[in-house]
Amino acid sequence: MSYDFVNIEHKWQTNWETQRTFATPNPGQPGFDPSKPKYYVLDMFPYPSGVGLHVGHPLGYIATDIIARYKRSRGFNVLHPMGYDAFGLPAEQFAVEQGVHPAITTNQNIMNMTRQLKRLGLSYDWERSVATTDPEYYKWTQWIFLQLYDAWFDPFRRMARPIDDLFTELEAGRILVGIEGEAVLSSNTEGVDAVTGLPVGTRKLHELPPAELHAFIDRQRLAYMDEVPVNWCPQLGTVLANEEVTNEGRSERGNFPVYRRPLRQWMLRITAFADRLLEDLDLVDWPAATKMMQRNWIGRSEGASVKFPLGMGASSGLDDELVVFTTRPDTLFGATYMVLSPEHPLIDAISTAEQFHAVNAYRIAAGEKSDVDRIAEAGSGVKSGVFTGAYAINPVNNQPIPIWIADYVLMSYGTGAIMAVPAHDSRDFAFARHFKLPIRPVVMPDDAWLNAHGPREMVGGNPDALRAAYAADPARFDEAFTDHGTAINSNNEELSLDDHGTAQAQAEMIEWLEGNGRGRRHVQYKLRDWLFSRQRYWGEPFPILHDADGTSMAVEESDLPVLLPEMEDFRPAASDDPDAPPQPPLSRAPLAWKQVVREGRTLQREFNTMPQWAGSCWYYLRFLDPRNGERFVSAEAERYWMGGPTAATRDVGAASMADDGTASKADDGSAAMTSAGIESSRAGGHAGSKVSGQVGGVDLYVGGVEHAVLHLLYARFWHKVLFDLGHVSTPEPFARLFNQGYIQAFYYEDARGVRVSAEEIEERDGAFFYQGQPVTRHMGKMGKSLKNAIAPDDICAQYGCDTLRLYEMYLGPLDQSKIWRTADITGVHRFLQRLWRVFVNEDGSLRISDDAPPLDLQRLLHRTIKRVTDAMDNLAFNVAIAALIELNNELVKRYASDEVARTSGRAQIGVPRQIAEPMVLLLAPLAPHIAEELWQKLGHHASLSAEAWPRWEQAFLIEERIEYPVQINGKLKSKISVPSDADDAAIQAAASADEKIAPLIAGMKIKKAIIIKGRMVNLIVG
RNA sequence: GCCCCGGUGGCGAAACUGGCAGACGCACGGCACUUAAAAUGCCGAGACCCGCAAGGGUCGUGCGGGUUCGACUCCCGCCCGGGGCACCA
């Protein structure tokens, strides 16, 4: 009987489903074993695509399945769920293309993808499956949104707290309301009023009219509405988050142009968590590249904010000041001009009449400049700009300096204004040279730099002369000196930085600025708040109601979910016009949905929907308890599967965090660096497994690197809010992250550069043809757009999914990109065929003997167990498969060759059961169907998924004799075989006596013999 | 420009903590079985040189140095490829 994979695989997939083999009980449920440790292994869930899977998609799913099966046999309670991220643009666009309602296409696609995934034999607990579009799911997405809406960020404690606590803080006078309605800490030392002892212009709770109080509270929420410059994509008919816009200023989805435009939108206050999102990366075991991307995205810079009073020419009449952020406060004496971004709001107020025309012309030109132009300009180093006619006063020397505008200063970072220090910033240097602005050196470079960048005629000259030349005119040097050095020209009456190193000078300058109320230490982040609303139909409705007077309020928890209304026309209001107003499709919903009457007042629902990312921010929590109708997840299930610390431990951590936050100067929410709690857990070390043990969370999370910032940053943010509010027990959601590589394949382009179907390519004499026409071959990520996708269904039909699983894992390390070559499948397919044949006779009977296996075979088995086990622990499945092939080759050699069959008589000789059974168990996570079938043939009635992983015994790993390579002066010359218990002297004697070695060392003196037990011998002769 | 990751036979790749480089697979060559092919099994194989042969020698993990008895592995300086960030003050 040959290896009939079609029937075997179908049989076992059906069996697993009907026997509920992989259904995983929660604590307290029947069948739950509390004595076992837990292991939560998770895939990034897919969106249900209309074209289905290609063989690149399951790469990660196969890997997690192998781990899930392996961990089960290692005695863990394994949680391994799968679901669908079904809201969002792709699903909606597919529905629009098909002209079918997205609810229908989404369900069809989910069914198709589930069928495809089940065919791969993946051991998911399908009973836990969720779709983010299910009202029973998005009810809780809305509920979490309300947690954000009903929370604020307490800068004292550096954590999210219920909004009601804000009243407490107002009553206690710890929080005050500032001039512009902003929150001010009473501990703020800046501009304190001499009479009240409080910051100037601030008011306490009882001084506020109710409407202002309401507006103030709304502005503190973690989910708030604000009019901000947003990314507006008219062709998608929606606004987009910064993370969804490419560097070229186009939409990540669809590649449509995106325009910046002020609109009132929902925002989530992720910036409040910037420092914790940054610090806690040290707690998790993630790929270095992914951590790096998150760090870059958060973009933390330490420095100072500095106030520059406006001076001559300023027409505002106010005692205005210009605040800038700098990472180099030590160079303040070198600030010879200032630059505002062209969008800066102060420009109109300060520009002089003579310059107004030029300023306006520049502003318009800058606004029309495309992002591509700006990038090109940045690359070229050419700077454009215009003088406003106004001056500011440099606070350290009271000198007036001109204020320019230029588009190399971005409104979206810092304050949209800079102090320019041309001597020590390359952009300012280029600008100052171009516009002949003064360049004042305030940091002396080292001699090496001066030599490398000085005027040609001075190279190699006297260092003193070079220094003098630099101090006299840095413009003679070919670039700005931007490194640390020694301060010069940096003294005033109260401050002398000269001769101090940069780090010291920075500290002294900040001290001076703070002492004189001219500035303060400041940490700046690139991260901006998360634009959370979309003008699309296929998303979660906001659980928010608006009153006619403009106030908004939360939908009652008991009224959740707010169902997405049935609509025939769900299409977005797409347009080519950048100035077209956003028109959320829900504004066209039936009146019965749009209007809600509460306490006699008619309220209007929010018409925006949530973005794609909302559902994926917390799905890993819903899997823990997917059918819970009372809570988003039960506390018990959450604590068990996420493995968070016990309640007692957590209280200690929270207390220390509060103490530290209170003690530090967390004035603007950015100054407090590290909390004691985080510092101490960080001290636990950097080794992955140790750290993940401490932090809790998903034990292994596998997915593509494309989510390095978007999904992973958003999910961490939500998780931290839920953690602060006491809804989850761990500070981080994903203890260990693994990014699998992509599957690449050849694709083909015809003479016009149009891609043609890779399936229909013919190869002749190394050239490629499509329908007779020559085409060129390229390599790229497998997918629909390159027309090189291969469906797993086809491979399963032809070779079986065990073969597909093995092939994908055997291609190479999981985190690398790999090239798919269907022809190469034959290698692993042969392995399974040979395995089958060595166990099973042609008539289907088993070729197994109950004889004790020979010792050398036992040793090979135990070596294999060790190798496979180590490989599994390292996710090195290619190595595990190689070890199994090697063992199988040995079995074939001994028990299946024609020679053996002829001389011994078939069925008389078979694989010893003591070898066969452990081998089948080792194979089971990788190729589960054939393993189950063989296991059953071996006489077992239950699924092998309940069997324990084979153990290797040290005794079988020890050989009687060890073969030592013998080197002379480090060069391999011979090999000797020595009893494994031989001591060094015996080994050396054997080596010296070896027939190849003896003549080489004859008459020489052995200066030194290096003998590494069990490894090698190296004789040093002279 | 800055940051991260990588570079090992014709190809995909192994190599624990510095200890026999190339396990395992593909492709390839030879042999057996076969009318033949396929399939299957066995054998061979890093490159170069010497030898009829058995065998022997030299070189070899991107390049150049260094540390070490010993380096794919550690250090310094380059080259190439992939990815990320990119006027972020």
Side-chain angles (χ1 to χ4, degrees):
Chain A
M1 193 175 82
S2 64
Y3 167 41
D4 176 10
F5 52 82
V6 173
N7 282 317
I8 291 171
E9 291 177 359
H10 181 258
K11 169 184 165 184
W12 286 102
Q13 284 167 16
T14 308
N15 185 290
W16 293 329
E17 190 152 353
T18 55
Q19 300 295 312
R20 301 182 66 234
T21 306
F22 303 113
T24 312
N26 263 1
Q29 289 178 340
F32 178 77
D33 181 351
S35 68
K36 290 183 177 179
K38 68 95 188 183
Y39 196 85
Y40 185 3
V41 51
L42 181 68
D43 295 288
M44 290 186 188
F45 67 164
Y47 75 88
S49 148
V51 293
L53 298 175
H54 61 67
V55 294
H57 290 117
L59 192 67
Y61 305 155
I62 294 168
T64 54
D65 186 61
I66 293 166
I67 287 297
R69 290 173 180 272
Y70 170 65
K71 289 288 180 182
R72 280 187 204 106
S73 69
R74 291 299 299 262
F76 288 83
N77 284 327
V78 171
L79 183 62
H80 187 43
M82 180 46 98
Y84 296 96
D85 188 15
F87 269 135
L89 279 176
E92 187 181 307
Q93 277 171 318
F94 181 75
V96 170
E97 282 163 25
Q98 303 287 310
V100 183
H101 194 278
I104 295 168
T105 53
T106 298
N107 278 333
Q108 285 170 348
N109 295 347
I110 286 176
M111 280 165 66
N112 184 44
M113 280 186 73
T114 303
R115 180 191 60 76
Q116 284 189 303
L117 290 172
K118 284 186 174 172
R119 193 163 179 191
L120 295 170
L122 303 171
S123 65
Y124 294 119
D125 177 359
W126 284 105
E127 294 171 27
R128 288 179 184 259
S129 189
V130 298
T132 54
T133 46
D134 184 342
E136 284 307 303
Y137 182 91
Y138 71 69
K139 170 183 179 177
W140 298 106
T141 310
Q142 292 170 339
W143 179 83
I144 295 172
F145 175 83
L146 289 184
Q147 302 308 302
L148 284 135
Y149 180 77
D150 284 328
W152 65 297
F153 188 82
D154 179 347
F156 279 105
R157 299 199 190 166
R158 260 187 8 131
M159 66 186 288
R161 295 173 65 192
I163 197 82
D164 291 347
D165 290 3
L166 184 52
F167 289 99
T168 318
E169 297 295 343
L170 282 165
E171 278 170 355
R174 289 214 292 169
I175 300 267
L176 306 169
V177 180
I179 299 171
E180 289 165 15
E182 78 280 19
V184 177
L185 299 186
S186 57
S187 61
N188 197 331
T189 53
E190 199 177 344
V192 172
D193 186 291
V195 179
T196 63
L198 295 172
V200 170
T202 57
R203 286 173 295 171
K204 292 187 168 181
L205 176 64
H206 65 266
E207 299 172 276
L208 286 179
E212 273 191 55
L213 178 64
H214 195 274
F216 172 76
I217 296 287
D218 276 354
R219 271 195 304 277
Q220 303 308 310
R221 296 176 187 274
L222 296 184
Y224 63 100
M225 288 192 86
D226 198 8
E227 173 144 336
V228 288
V230 297
N231 306 295
W232 165 243
C233 181
Q235 268 153 308
L236 288 173
T238 185
V239 297
L240 297 168
N242 295 324
E243 290 84 347
E244 293 169 305
V245 180
T246 65
N247 292 333
E248 286 78 38
R250 303 182 81 90
S251 63
E252 194 100 62
R253 279 274 163 216
N255 202 34
F256 299 119
V258 172
Y259 303 87
R260 287 200 74 80
R261 178 177 165 184
L263 286 172
R264 187 168 164 82
Q265 296 291 326
W266 281 98
M267 308 291 291
L268 297 187
R269 203 177 301 282
I270 190 172
T271 51
F273 292 81
D275 51 356
R276 279 167 60 191
L277 289 168
L278 192 64
E279 289 160 9
D280 288 0
L281 286 173
D282 290 342
L283 302 178
V284 293
D285 178 17
W286 285 20
T290 307
K291 287 191 182 186
M292 187 61 59
M293 281 190 252
Q294 292 223 345
R295 289 198 179 101
N296 286 343
W297 190 262
I298 294 166
R300 180 179 195 274
S301 296
E302 277 185 52
S305 60
V306 184
K307 290 186 215 167
F308 284 69
L310 291 172
M312 303 180 303
S315 59
S316 71
L318 298 167
D319 52 345
D320 272 338
E321 53 200 17
L322 208 48
V323 181
V324 301
F325 170 70
T326 175
T327 54
R328 291 295 297 273
D330 60 301
T331 62
L332 196 41
F333 284 94
T336 52
Y337 64 100
M338 302 192 78
V339 187
L340 305 185
S341 159
E343 298 105 60
H344 199 283
L346 232 51
I347 291 174
D348 282 327
I350 63 167
S351 298
T352 58
E354 306 87 74
Q355 288 300 104
F356 191 76
H357 248 69
V359 165
N360 229 14
Y362 182 79
R363 230 178 348 185
I364 290 163
E368 285 172 353
K369 214 178 272 184
S370 73
D371 283 299
V372 176
D373 294 339
R374 279 180 78 125
I375 290 164
E377 199 177 296
S380 72
V382 177
K383 298 278 179 280
S384 67
V386 65
F387 179 43
T388 61
Y391 290 82
I393 306 296
N394 186 332
V396 289
N397 55 19
N398 290 320
Q399 284 178 9
I401 55 175
I403 303 173
W404 285 63
I405 66 173
D407 64 0
Y408 81 89
V409 174
L410 309 175
M411 195 59 222
S412 52
Y413 183 73
T415 61
I418 62 157
M419 66 177 211
V421 184
H424 305 296
D425 180 279
S426 49
R427 296 149 301 177
D428 299 343
F429 187 72
F431 191 86
R433 268 186 162 179
H434 187 256
F435 290 105
K436 310 273 185 286
L437 291 160
I439 301 175
R440 180 177 152 92
V442 292
V443 183
M444 182 55 71
D446 55 56
D447 292 347
W449 188 92
L450 290 168
N451 232 323
H453 298 280
R456 186 164 299 171
E457 67 277 10
M458 297 185 72
V459 166
N462 181 350
D464 290 334
L466 268 169
R467 271 183 235 123
Y470 187 80
D473 185 10
R476 291 179 67 201
F477 288 68
D478 66 8
E479 61 180 52
F481 176 70
T482 57
D483 282 346
H484 284 203
T486 309
I488 54 170
N489 297 329
S490 298
N491 289 349
N492 65 22
E493 292 78 6
E494 302 163 25
L495 192 60
S496 33
L497 304 182
D498 284 1
D499 300 326
H500 295 178
T502 296
Q504 193 192 342
Q506 286 179 349
E508 288 166 343
M509 177 60 83
I510 289 171
E511 197 181 328
W512 183 86
L513 287 169
E514 291 189 339
N516 289 274
R518 299 301 179 94
R520 53 197 302 117
R521 187 181 135 62
H522 183 77
V523 177
Q524 184 65 45
Y525 294 93
K526 274 201 276 185
L527 184 71
R528 277 167 281 157
D529 276 343
W530 177 12
L531 173 62
F532 195 67
S533 41
R534 299 291 183 277
Q535 292 73 47
R536 300 288 291 215
Y537 171 72
W538 195 233
E540 298 88 348
F542 282 80
I544 292 289
L545 299 167
H546 299 283
D547 203 345
D549 66 6
T551 58
S552 54
M553 65 204 77
V555 169
E556 293 291 330
E557 207 177 305
S558 55
D559 290 339
L560 297 180
V562 177
L563 291 171
L564 194 58
E566 288 290 333
M567 286 174 65
E568 293 223 343
D569 181 13
F570 52 83
R571 284 169 306 172
S575 159
D576 292 333
D577 179 8
D579 297 321
Q583 292 175 309
L586 292 188
S587 65
R588 306 192 302 263
L591 205 60
W593 183 85
K594 289 201 287 189
Q595 292 193 345
V596 177
V597 178
R598 192 197 271 185
E599 292 164 8
R601 285 186 302 172
T602 302
L603 305 172
Q604 194 182 56
R605 287 203 190 277
E606 168 69 43
F607 297 150
N608 286 306
T609 51
M610 298 187 202
Q612 159 115 58
W613 314 102
S616 60
C617 270
W618 73 285
Y619 74 109
Y620 57 94
L621 294 169
R622 189 60 178 171
F623 279 143
L624 310 177
D625 196 9
R627 307 290 170 247
N628 193 327
E630 305 298 314
R631 266 182 68 78
F632 77 117
V633 56
S634 80
E636 190 186 17
E638 191 277 329
R639 256 201 315 281
Y640 180 74
W641 290 115
M642 294 297 278
T646 61
T649 330
R650 214 205 134 199
D651 284 346
V652 174
S656 70
M657 183 181 274
D659 291 348
D660 183 72
T662 311
S664 70
K665 280 208 268 179
D667 50 18
D668 56 4
S670 62
M673 288 304 109
T674 54
S675 74
I678 286 164
E679 201 67 67
S680 63
S681 41
R682 188 194 283 169
H686 294 280
S689 52
K690 264 185 267 170
V691 169
S692 46
Q694 289 174 6
V695 74
V698 175
D699 295 274
L700 179 63
Y701 192 29
V702 176
V705 72
E706 68 271 17
H707 291 116
V709 278
L710 290 152
H711 157 61
L712 288 170
L713 194 64
Y714 295 151
R716 292 180 64 216
F717 162 49
W718 277 35
H719 195 89
K720 287 190 183 306
V721 174
L722 292 172
F723 175 70
D724 288 353
L725 297 177
H727 297 305
V728 298
S729 58
T730 67
E732 282 287 324
F734 313 117
R736 183 178 181 200
L737 175 73
F738 197 92
N739 293 127
Q740 93 275 14
Y742 296 118
I743 295 257
Q744 298 187 295
F746 289 118
Y747 68 95
Y748 301 85
E749 288 181 348
D750 67 15
R752 297 166 299 165
V754 175
R755 282 154 200 158
V756 297
S757 167
E759 267 180 292
E760 296 169 52
I761 297 300
E762 292 165 49
E763 182 177 354
R764 287 195 299 270
D765 305 325
F768 304 94
F769 299 89
Y770 173 74
Q771 294 177 349
Q773 299 301 310
V775 293
T776 53
R777 188 170 82 162
H778 310 270
M779 176 63 63
K781 184 184 167 191
M782 184 178 283
K784 188 174 64 165
S785 61
L786 297 183
K787 294 197 177 168
N788 60 355
I790 294 168
D793 292 350
D794 297 347
I795 302 295
C796 288
Q798 206 179 338
Y799 297 96
C801 74
D802 278 341
T803 297
L804 175 66
R805 292 167 61 110
L806 287 183
Y807 175 65
E808 295 213 2
M809 294 301 105
Y810 197 58
L811 277 169
L814 193 58
D815 54 354
Q816 276 177 29
S817 282
K818 293 161 275 249
I819 296 166
W820 177 277
R821 286 195 197 86
T822 302
D824 288 0
I825 287 182
T826 175
V828 286
H829 191 58
R830 263 179 216 157
F831 161 54
L832 294 182
Q833 301 263 26
R834 284 152 60 94
L835 177 84
W836 183 264
R837 271 203 311 275
V838 85
F839 281 47
V840 183
N841 288 310
E842 274 305 310
D843 61 7
S845 63
L846 208 57
R847 189 191 299 194
I848 289 289
S849 85
D850 287 316
D851 299 344
L855 185 60
D856 59 339
L857 195 57
Q858 288 229 54
R859 286 193 174 132
L860 177 61
L861 172 73
H862 284 264
R863 268 207 311 280
T864 305
I865 295 173
K866 181 165 174 16
R867 283 175 71 191
V868 173
T869 305
D870 291 347
M872 288 285 180
D873 288 333
N874 293 324
L875 270 58
F877 306 124
N878 52 334
V879 183
I881 295 166
L884 287 167
I885 291 176
E886 206 174 338
L887 175 60
N888 191 54
N889 287 347
E890 187 61 28
L891 297 182
V892 168
K893 194 187 272 181
R894 288 176 190 239
Y895 300 106
S897 78
D898 291 348
E899 187 64 20
V900 171
R902 213 168 334 122
T903 56
S904 61
R906 199 202 65 193
Q908 304 299 310
I909 180 164
V911 180
R913 182 174 289 272
Q914 283 180 46
I915 303 293
E917 295 203 337
M919 186 182 178
V920 166
L921 293 174
L922 292 179
L923 180 69
L926 298 153
H929 308 84
I930 191 173
E932 288 272 24
E933 184 70 14
L934 290 171
W935 189 248
Q936 193 180 57
K937 278 186 172 293
L938 283 160
H940 302 280
H941 298 294
S943 163
L944 54 61
S945 63
E947 294 295 324
W949 188 248
R951 306 181 70 88
W952 47 271
E953 287 168 37
Q954 191 63 39
F956 286 111
L957 297 182
I958 296 166
E959 302 286 343
E960 283 155 20
R961 298 183 73 82
I962 299 177
E963 190 178 67
Y964 281 87
V966 181
Q967 299 175 347
I968 293 178
N969 292 343
K971 297 228 180 219
L972 179 67
K973 292 293 176 188
S974 185
K975 289 179 184 180
I976 56 169
S977 177
V978 179
S980 55
D981 56 357
D983 61 12
D984 286 3
I987 294 168
Q988 188 180 336
S992 305
D994 181 78
E995 57 178 4
K996 284 181 191 157
I997 298 298
L1000 291 170
I1001 58 173
M1004 305 250 235
K1005 187 180 162 215
I1006 295 177
K1007 287 194 208 158
K1008 194 174 174 188
I1010 294 151
I1011 294 160
I1012 309 294
K1013 202 80 173 186
R1015 289 280 180 203
M1016 46 70 69
V1017 176
N1018 188 7
L1019 302 175
I1020 309 303
V1021 299

